[in-house]
Amino acid sequence: MSMRKLKAWREAGLIDDQTLERIEAYDAEHARPLALWGAIGIGSLAIGLGVISVIAANWEDVPGQIRLAVHFALMAGIAGFLGLRGEALSQRQPWAMEAALFILAMLGMTFFGHLGQVYQTGSPLWQPLSAWLLLFAPLLLQRGQSWLTALLIVGTFAFACWDYAFAADRSFARDEDFPWLRLTVITALPIMFAPLGAWMRKTSPREVFWRRIEQSGLAYAVGGASLIAIAAGVEKFDEDIMAAQAQIIRMAITFVAAGLVFAARRTKSGESCAAIMAG
């Protein structure tokens, strides 16, 4: 709120001089120098792009072990900083904490690709993504606050599930009795982010973040059902993970998730979320 409006309120008798002085002192203490931070950000970005350009131009000349060591050192440095100052930073400047978390998570994700490039590994994509989830998802769930972090967790988990499912569907032994059952359960797992978010909203001080997790699970359920319904109208599914039995199992899991959301949040929005998933 502008000081001109506050002074107009004082002149109109809506607030007194002491109230105006307290407001001015509070604004001065919590002011955010956006122009200064913007200049620092642009300068840092320019320096970072310059360093990246130099490294990219000489990428092949740098030994792989040195590149991995530098990459790991960056992750360790950010992780150490968050371990020492993360709590204070999240209270004082939550946006800076969120940026540091996202940078650490992306460095961790690219580290697996960097590792594969140096040592010429050829593992399926779901394997490094699963390792990344085991290492970084707990930290992001514990500290995350924004849509960006929520989508990173849910999106990576969903992609890993489907990549595993399609890879396994092509390589299953034909003598397995019910290959679609395991694949269906795995591809339906991201739906469970909806009840997880609904439950955690009641107990966590980061209610906004868990609402985003719940909404991401709801979006996965609704989006997946819509895409399957559209695809089923134009072609017949032959893959195990798209067979009719698989859709029945997936529907049952969605009903279970809807019931858990309804049990966790007996509010209008919780009931609406459960009704949408069930529908």
PDB file of all heavy atoms in Angstrom, residues 22-34 37 91-95:
ATOM      1  N   ARG A  22       4.195   3.351  12.959  1.00  0.00           N
ATOM      2  CA  ARG A  22       4.440   1.910  13.083  1.00  0.00           C
ATOM      3  C   ARG A  22       4.412   1.229  11.714  1.00  0.00           C
ATOM      4  O   ARG A  22       5.203   0.338  11.430  1.00  0.00           O
ATOM      5  CB  ARG A  22       3.408   1.285  14.017  1.00  0.00           C
ATOM      6  CG  ARG A  22       3.605   1.645  15.491  1.00  0.00           C
ATOM      7  CD  ARG A  22       2.842   0.696  16.399  1.00  0.00           C
ATOM      8  NE  ARG A  22       1.403   0.731  16.134  1.00  0.00           N
ATOM      9  CZ  ARG A  22       0.549   1.555  16.761  1.00  0.00           C
ATOM     10  NH1 ARG A  22       0.996   2.400  17.680  1.00  0.00           N
ATOM     11  NH2 ARG A  22      -0.740   1.518  16.486  1.00  0.00           N
ATOM     12  N   ILE A  23       3.481   1.670  10.863  1.00  0.00           N
ATOM     13  CA  ILE A  23       3.404   1.102   9.504  1.00  0.00           C
ATOM     14  C   ILE A  23       4.669   1.432   8.723  1.00  0.00           C
ATOM     15  O   ILE A  23       5.238   0.578   8.026  1.00  0.00           O
ATOM     16  CB  ILE A  23       2.149   1.607   8.779  1.00  0.00           C
ATOM     17  CG1 ILE A  23       0.882   1.067   9.466  1.00  0.00           C
ATOM     18  CG2 ILE A  23       2.173   1.185   7.314  1.00  0.00           C
ATOM     19  CD1 ILE A  23      -0.408   1.620   8.888  1.00  0.00           C
ATOM     20  N   GLU A  24       5.133   2.689   8.832  1.00  0.00           N
ATOM     21  CA  GLU A  24       6.349   3.088   8.123  1.00  0.00           C
ATOM     22  C   GLU A  24       7.559   2.311   8.621  1.00  0.00           C
ATOM     23  O   GLU A  24       8.407   1.872   7.826  1.00  0.00           O
ATOM     24  CB  GLU A  24       6.590   4.588   8.305  1.00  0.00           C
ATOM     25  CG  GLU A  24       5.591   5.466   7.564  1.00  0.00           C
ATOM     26  CD  GLU A  24       5.831   6.941   7.823  1.00  0.00           C
ATOM     27  OE1 GLU A  24       6.460   7.261   8.856  1.00  0.00           O
ATOM     28  OE2 GLU A  24       5.384   7.764   6.999  1.00  0.00           O
ATOM     29  N   ALA A  25       7.650   2.088   9.945  1.00  0.00           N
ATOM     30  CA  ALA A  25       8.773   1.325  10.496  1.00  0.00           C
ATOM     31  C   ALA A  25       8.717  -0.133  10.033  1.00  0.00           C
ATOM     32  O   ALA A  25       9.749  -0.726   9.703  1.00  0.00           O
ATOM     33  CB  ALA A  25       8.752   1.398  12.023  1.00  0.00           C
ATOM     34  N   TYR A  26       7.516  -0.682   9.981  1.00  0.00           N
ATOM     35  CA  TYR A  26       7.378  -2.076   9.532  1.00  0.00           C
ATOM     36  C   TYR A  26       7.766  -2.206   8.062  1.00  0.00           C
ATOM     37  O   TYR A  26       8.475  -3.142   7.676  1.00  0.00           O
ATOM     38  CB  TYR A  26       5.944  -2.541   9.752  1.00  0.00           C
ATOM     39  CG  TYR A  26       5.697  -3.967   9.304  1.00  0.00           C
ATOM     40  CD1 TYR A  26       5.949  -5.038  10.162  1.00  0.00           C
ATOM     41  CD2 TYR A  26       5.223  -4.244   8.024  1.00  0.00           C
ATOM     42  CE1 TYR A  26       5.738  -6.337   9.748  1.00  0.00           C
ATOM     43  CE2 TYR A  26       4.999  -5.532   7.603  1.00  0.00           C
ATOM     44  CZ  TYR A  26       5.258  -6.585   8.471  1.00  0.00           C
ATOM     45  OH  TYR A  26       5.039  -7.872   8.048  1.00  0.00           O
ATOM     46  N   ASP A  27       7.306  -1.289   7.229  1.00  0.00           N
ATOM     47  CA  ASP A  27       7.650  -1.337   5.806  1.00  0.00           C
ATOM     48  C   ASP A  27       9.153  -1.187   5.592  1.00  0.00           C
ATOM     49  O   ASP A  27       9.736  -1.838   4.723  1.00  0.00           O
ATOM     50  CB  ASP A  27       6.901  -0.238   5.045  1.00  0.00           C
ATOM     51  CG  ASP A  27       5.445  -0.595   4.820  1.00  0.00           C
ATOM     52  OD1 ASP A  27       5.101  -1.783   4.989  1.00  0.00           O
ATOM     53  OD2 ASP A  27       4.646   0.309   4.485  1.00  0.00           O
ATOM     54  N   ALA A  28       9.779  -0.309   6.369  1.00  0.00           N
ATOM     55  CA  ALA A  28      11.223  -0.120   6.229  1.00  0.00           C
ATOM     56  C   ALA A  28      11.990  -1.374   6.628  1.00  0.00           C
ATOM     57  O   ALA A  28      13.011  -1.726   6.016  1.00  0.00           O
ATOM     58  CB  ALA A  28      11.674   1.070   7.076  1.00  0.00           C
ATOM     59  N   GLU A  29      11.485  -2.077   7.638  1.00  0.00           N
ATOM     60  CA  GLU A  29      12.174  -3.283   8.104  1.00  0.00           C
ATOM     61  C   GLU A  29      11.996  -4.450   7.150  1.00  0.00           C
ATOM     62  O   GLU A  29      12.897  -5.274   6.983  1.00  0.00           O
ATOM     63  CB  GLU A  29      11.650  -3.665   9.493  1.00  0.00           C
ATOM     64  CG  GLU A  29      12.346  -4.878  10.097  1.00  0.00           C
ATOM     65  CD  GLU A  29      11.806  -5.211  11.477  1.00  0.00           C
ATOM     66  OE1 GLU A  29      10.981  -4.425  11.995  1.00  0.00           O
ATOM     67  OE2 GLU A  29      12.198  -6.261  12.021  1.00  0.00           O
ATOM     68  N   HIS A  30      10.828  -4.527   6.497  1.00  0.00           N
ATOM     69  CA  HIS A  30      10.535  -5.663   5.626  1.00  0.00           C
ATOM     70  C   HIS A  30      10.549  -5.279   4.151  1.00  0.00           C
ATOM     71  O   HIS A  30      10.002  -6.000   3.313  1.00  0.00           O
ATOM     72  CB  HIS A  30       9.157  -6.245   5.973  1.00  0.00           C
ATOM     73  CG  HIS A  30       9.091  -6.832   7.351  1.00  0.00           C
ATOM     74  ND1 HIS A  30       8.864  -6.067   8.475  1.00  0.00           N
ATOM     75  CD2 HIS A  30       9.232  -8.118   7.779  1.00  0.00           C
ATOM     76  CE1 HIS A  30       8.845  -6.846   9.537  1.00  0.00           C
ATOM     77  NE2 HIS A  30       9.075  -8.088   9.162  1.00  0.00           N
ATOM     78  N   ALA A  31      11.167  -4.180   3.821  1.00  0.00           N
ATOM     79  CA  ALA A  31      11.213  -3.755   2.415  1.00  0.00           C
ATOM     80  C   ALA A  31      12.051  -4.710   1.589  1.00  0.00           C
ATOM     81  O   ALA A  31      13.047  -5.263   2.062  1.00  0.00           O
ATOM     82  CB  ALA A  31      11.785  -2.336   2.328  1.00  0.00           C
ATOM     83  N   ARG A  32      11.621  -4.922   0.353  1.00  0.00           N
ATOM     84  CA  ARG A  32      12.359  -5.769  -0.584  1.00  0.00           C
ATOM     85  C   ARG A  32      12.921  -4.900  -1.709  1.00  0.00           C
ATOM     86  O   ARG A  32      12.160  -4.362  -2.520  1.00  0.00           O
ATOM     87  CB  ARG A  32      11.440  -6.836  -1.190  1.00  0.00           C
ATOM     88  CG  ARG A  32      10.960  -7.857  -0.169  1.00  0.00           C
ATOM     89  CD  ARG A  32      10.123  -8.921  -0.844  1.00  0.00           C
ATOM     90  NE  ARG A  32       9.684  -9.933   0.084  1.00  0.00           N
ATOM     91  CZ  ARG A  32       8.944 -10.999  -0.261  1.00  0.00           C
ATOM     92  NH1 ARG A  32       8.552 -11.133  -1.520  1.00  0.00           N
ATOM     93  NH2 ARG A  32       8.584 -11.882   0.643  1.00  0.00           N
ATOM     94  N   PRO A  33      14.228  -4.734  -1.770  1.00  0.00           N
ATOM     95  CA  PRO A  33      14.823  -3.914  -2.838  1.00  0.00           C
ATOM     96  C   PRO A  33      14.781  -4.659  -4.173  1.00  0.00           C
ATOM     97  O   PRO A  33      15.774  -5.251  -4.617  1.00  0.00           O
ATOM     98  CB  PRO A  33      16.251  -3.703  -2.339  1.00  0.00           C
ATOM     99  CG  PRO A  33      16.538  -4.889  -1.487  1.00  0.00           C
ATOM    100  CD  PRO A  33      15.235  -5.278  -0.845  1.00  0.00           C
ATOM    101  N   LEU A  34      13.612  -4.644  -4.804  1.00  0.00           N
ATOM    102  CA  LEU A  34      13.422  -5.448  -6.017  1.00  0.00           C
ATOM    103  C   LEU A  34      14.358  -5.016  -7.137  1.00  0.00           C
ATOM    104  O   LEU A  34      14.875  -5.858  -7.890  1.00  0.00           O
ATOM    105  CB  LEU A  34      11.956  -5.341  -6.475  1.00  0.00           C
ATOM    106  CG  LEU A  34      10.914  -5.906  -5.500  1.00  0.00           C
ATOM    107  CD1 LEU A  34       9.506  -5.735  -6.076  1.00  0.00           C
ATOM    108  CD2 LEU A  34      11.194  -7.382  -5.230  1.00  0.00           C
ATOM    109  N   TRP A  37      17.817  -6.427  -6.320  1.00  0.00           N
ATOM    110  CA  TRP A  37      17.858  -7.872  -6.541  1.00  0.00           C
ATOM    111  C   TRP A  37      17.736  -8.208  -8.031  1.00  0.00           C
ATOM    112  O   TRP A  37      18.321  -9.180  -8.508  1.00  0.00           O
ATOM    113  CB  TRP A  37      16.744  -8.548  -5.751  1.00  0.00           C
ATOM    114  CG  TRP A  37      17.078  -8.733  -4.306  1.00  0.00           C
ATOM    115  CD1 TRP A  37      16.523  -8.086  -3.237  1.00  0.00           C
ATOM    116  CD2 TRP A  37      18.062  -9.616  -3.769  1.00  0.00           C
ATOM    117  NE1 TRP A  37      17.096  -8.509  -2.069  1.00  0.00           N
ATOM    118  CE2 TRP A  37      18.040  -9.454  -2.358  1.00  0.00           C
ATOM    119  CE3 TRP A  37      18.966 -10.519  -4.327  1.00  0.00           C
ATOM    120  CZ2 TRP A  37      18.877 -10.163  -1.511  1.00  0.00           C
ATOM    121  CZ3 TRP A  37      19.792 -11.233  -3.480  1.00  0.00           C
ATOM    122  CH2 TRP A  37      19.752 -11.061  -2.097  1.00  0.00           C
ATOM    123  N   GLN A  91      12.194 -19.019   6.477  1.00  0.00           N
ATOM    124  CA  GLN A  91      11.349 -18.085   7.218  1.00  0.00           C
ATOM    125  C   GLN A  91      11.554 -16.648   6.763  1.00  0.00           C
ATOM    126  O   GLN A  91      10.592 -15.868   6.691  1.00  0.00           O
ATOM    127  CB  GLN A  91      11.646 -18.202   8.709  1.00  0.00           C
ATOM    128  CG  GLN A  91      11.281 -19.557   9.299  1.00  0.00           C
ATOM    129  CD  GLN A  91      11.624 -19.657  10.773  1.00  0.00           C
ATOM    130  OE1 GLN A  91      12.107 -18.695  11.374  1.00  0.00           O
ATOM    131  NE2 GLN A  91      11.396 -20.825  11.362  1.00  0.00           N
ATOM    132  N   ARG A  92      12.797 -16.295   6.452  1.00  0.00           N
ATOM    133  CA  ARG A  92      13.102 -14.914   6.078  1.00  0.00           C
ATOM    134  C   ARG A  92      12.849 -14.658   4.598  1.00  0.00           C
ATOM    135  O   ARG A  92      12.249 -13.639   4.235  1.00  0.00           O
ATOM    136  CB  ARG A  92      14.558 -14.598   6.433  1.00  0.00           C
ATOM    137  CG  ARG A  92      14.921 -13.131   6.237  1.00  0.00           C
ATOM    138  CD  ARG A  92      16.338 -12.840   6.704  1.00  0.00           C
ATOM    139  NE  ARG A  92      17.340 -13.504   5.879  1.00  0.00           N
ATOM    140  CZ  ARG A  92      18.024 -14.578   6.242  1.00  0.00           C
ATOM    141  NH1 ARG A  92      17.826 -15.126   7.432  1.00  0.00           N
ATOM    142  NH2 ARG A  92      18.923 -15.132   5.435  1.00  0.00           N
ATOM    143  N   GLN A  93      13.292 -15.544   3.739  1.00  0.00           N
ATOM    144  CA  GLN A  93      13.157 -15.391   2.294  1.00  0.00           C
ATOM    145  C   GLN A  93      12.757 -16.734   1.667  1.00  0.00           C
ATOM    146  O   GLN A  93      13.591 -17.449   1.122  1.00  0.00           O
ATOM    147  CB  GLN A  93      14.470 -14.891   1.682  1.00  0.00           C
ATOM    148  CG  GLN A  93      14.860 -13.491   2.145  1.00  0.00           C
ATOM    149  CD  GLN A  93      16.231 -13.087   1.626  1.00  0.00           C
ATOM    150  OE1 GLN A  93      17.142 -13.897   1.558  1.00  0.00           O
ATOM    151  NE2 GLN A  93      16.367 -11.827   1.267  1.00  0.00           N
ATOM    152  N   PRO A  94      11.488 -17.101   1.766  1.00  0.00           N
ATOM    153  CA  PRO A  94      11.061 -18.411   1.262  1.00  0.00           C
ATOM    154  C   PRO A  94      11.301 -18.595  -0.227  1.00  0.00           C
ATOM    155  O   PRO A  94      11.557 -19.711  -0.687  1.00  0.00           O
ATOM    156  CB  PRO A  94       9.561 -18.445   1.606  1.00  0.00           C
ATOM    157  CG  PRO A  94       9.170 -17.018   1.839  1.00  0.00           C
ATOM    158  CD  PRO A  94      10.386 -16.345   2.369  1.00  0.00           C
ATOM    159  N   TRP A  95      11.250 -17.503  -1.001  1.00  0.00           N
ATOM    160  CA  TRP A  95      11.474 -17.626  -2.440  1.00  0.00           C
ATOM    161  C   TRP A  95      12.918 -18.012  -2.737  1.00  0.00           C
ATOM    162  O   TRP A  95      13.191 -18.772  -3.666  1.00  0.00           O
ATOM    163  CB  TRP A  95      11.129 -16.302  -3.133  1.00  0.00           C
ATOM    164  CG  TRP A  95      11.885 -15.120  -2.592  1.00  0.00           C
ATOM    165  CD1 TRP A  95      11.510 -14.302  -1.570  1.00  0.00           C
ATOM    166  CD2 TRP A  95      13.158 -14.647  -3.026  1.00  0.00           C
ATOM    167  NE1 TRP A  95      12.461 -13.335  -1.336  1.00  0.00           N
ATOM    168  CE2 TRP A  95      13.488 -13.516  -2.216  1.00  0.00           C
ATOM    169  CE3 TRP A  95      14.052 -15.050  -4.015  1.00  0.00           C
ATOM    170  CZ2 TRP A  95      14.670 -12.807  -2.375  1.00  0.00           C
ATOM    171  CZ3 TRP A  95      15.238 -14.335  -4.173  1.00  0.00           C
ATOM    172  CH2 TRP A  95      15.533 -13.230  -3.367  1.00  0.00           C
TER     173      TRP A  95
END
